[in-house]
Amino acid sequence: MTFLRSLAYAAVFYPATVLWVLAGIAASLFGQRPTLSVVLSWVDMHHWLLRNLLGIRIKVDGAIPAGPHLIAVKHQSALETMEMVRLSHLPVIVIKKELSDVPLFGWLTRRYGVIPVERSAGAKALRALVANGKIATATGRPVIIYPEGTRVPVGQTPQLRSGFAALYRAIGLPVVPVATDSGELWGRGFNHRSGTVTFKVGETIPPGLKRDEIERRVHAAINALELAPEARA
C-alpha cells in the first residue's frame, strides 16, 4: 500500500508542478503578488496530496507568529520545505543555489523571493547571505533558514552552520525555532509512509544574543523532537 500511495503521489505531484511553474511564470508578469498566490496554491495542492494520497496528517504544536521573524527549521525531508511556506505566511526562504538555477523552477523561486546560497563559496557565500538577508527583511516578510544546512537523518543533531548566526546578527529579528519529525515518514527514497508529522514551534527567541547563546537555544529547540521523543505525544 505504501508503494502504491507513493506512486500515485508522484504521478500527480510532478506533472502538476510543471503546470504550476508555468502558471507562476505567467503570473509573475503581473507582479509579485500574483506570483505569491500561485505558489501558495501549489503548496496547498501539495498539502491536499499529503492528506488524500499519502495519508499523512500534519500536527502543529504551537503557532508561528505573523510578521517579520527569522524562522529556524529542522530539516529532515522535502516535506517541511513546502509545509513551512503554508504555515509561515509566504516567507522568503534561504535555499541552496542549485535549486535557484533549475530552469524555469529556479527563475520562479527568485520571483517568489529566496536567498540562494552557494555552499561551496565560503566567506563569499556568507557575505551574500547577509546582504540578501537585509534586503529580504526590508520586505516585511519572515525569513526561513534551515540552520543545519542540509537534510539530516532521523536521530542526528549536527551543529548549526555559521550562516545562521551571521544572518541572525545582521538582520536583528527574533527567532522562531521549529522542530519536526518528518523524516520518520518521508525519507530520501521513493516510498513515503502514512501517519502524522509533527511541527513543534518553540518559544520565540529575542534578537541580540551572543553567538554561543543563540546557537545553543536554537539547536535545542529545533531538535526538541529528537532529544525528547515523548514531546510528539
Side-chain angles (χ1 to χ4, degrees):
M1 180 60 73
T2 295
F3 175 78
L4 292 177
R5 284 177 180 268
S6 300
L7 182 62
Y9 163 82
V12 175
F13 174 68
Y14 293 108
T17 293
V18 173
L19 296 178
W20 251 270
V21 168
L22 294 175
I25 290 172
S28 70
L29 300 176
F30 300 95
Q32 189 180 49
R33 181 166 296 188
T35 307
L36 296 179
S37 297
V38 170
V39 171
L40 183 58
S41 70
W42 178 58
V43 296
D44 284 342
M45 178 272 293
H46 184 259
H47 182 75
W48 187 93
L49 294 179
L50 291 181
R51 290 180 56 89
N52 294 283
L53 288 186
L54 293 177
I56 293 176
R57 299 293 185 265
I58 302 299
K59 174 187 174 184
V60 182
D61 181 0
I64 296 173
H69 292 81
L70 179 58
I71 304 174
V73 186
K74 180 72 179 180
H75 194 13
Q76 290 185 339
S77 76
L79 184 149
E80 61 266 9
T81 63
M82 299 190 66
E83 277 298 300
M84 286 303 302
V85 174
R86 189 180 65 86
L87 295 174
S88 58
H89 317 292
L90 293 166
V92 175
I93 308 170
V94 178
I95 66 171
K96 58 184 179 181
K97 186 176 182 294
E98 296 93 315
L99 288 176
S100 66
D101 290 339
V102 173
L104 299 181
F105 177 81
W107 189 86
L108 182 60
T109 67
R110 292 175 183 271
R111 294 290 291 175
Y112 163 81
V114 297
I115 301 173
V117 175
E118 189 172 359
R119 291 179 292 184
S120 62
K124 178 181 177 182
L126 204 60
R127 290 192 296 270
L129 171 64
V130 167
N132 289 325
K134 292 178 179 179
I135 294 171
T137 303
T139 69
R141 294 165 65 186
V143 177
I144 279 187
I145 186 170
Y146 295 91
E148 293 162 322
T150 188
R151 286 181 292 178
V152 298
V154 173
Q156 292 191 12
T157 60
Q159 293 302 306
L160 309 188
R161 297 289 183 91
S162 58
F164 166 73
L167 186 62
Y168 167 78
R169 182 173 60 251
I171 66 179
L173 291 178
V175 178
V176 179
V178 181
T180 185
D181 56 2
S182 65
E184 296 281 355
L185 303 181
W186 192 293
R188 286 180 178 267
F190 174 80
N191 286 343
H192 308 308
R193 297 187 295 112
S194 61
T196 298
V197 169
T198 299
F199 287 86
K200 181 177 178 60
V201 183
E203 180 181 353
T204 300
I205 304 170
L209 301 180
K210 293 183 178 180
R211 177 174 177 174
D212 59 347
E213 176 69 7
I214 186 61
E215 288 187 338
R216 181 187 65 79
R217 292 178 64 172
V218 168
H219 184 269
I222 68 171
N223 287 295
L225 298 178
E226 296 291 336
L227 304 176
E230 65 276 6
R232 301 174 195 173

